[in-house]
Amino acid sequence: RASLLLRPTIGSAIWMMLNSGRLLEFLPLNWEVLNREVLLRLAYKFTAIGVEWESIEHVKIALLYFQKLGLVEIWEDSSSGRFMIRRKS
């Protein structure tokens, strides 16, 4: 279901080319704990730029895609099990 919702926007090379600057504006510049609050903030901003999602899992999938594209870095702190995220510079 996530791929059907995300395909017209972040799954589209044309959409990404036109909107990658807007995406970078709201991805954290410095390392942030990837908790529910951060995910909800990102989800709200996704909605503002036209990305459809139905659950926080869809937002997580989008972030993994951004990682593969080289837009963000995601790191797991093995001592605490927390995930951290930042915009790739």
Side-chain angles (χ1 to χ4, degrees), residues 21-67:
R22 293 170 68 192
L23 286 170
L24 291 174
E25 288 175 9
F26 64 76
L27 294 169
L29 181 58
N30 298 310
W31 288 108
E32 263 189 54
V33 175
L34 193 52
N35 57 24
R36 185 166 176 77
E37 179 183 320
V38 170
L39 287 167
L40 287 173
R41 184 183 77 225
L42 292 172
Y44 172 77
K45 291 181 179 184
F46 281 177
T47 301
I49 61 171
V51 177
E52 291 189 45
W53 58 276
E54 290 179 343
S55 71
I56 291 299
E57 292 306 311
H58 295 169
V59 177
K60 290 177 183 178
I61 290 167
L63 293 175
L64 290 173
Y65 182 65
F66 295 159
Q67 182 180 29

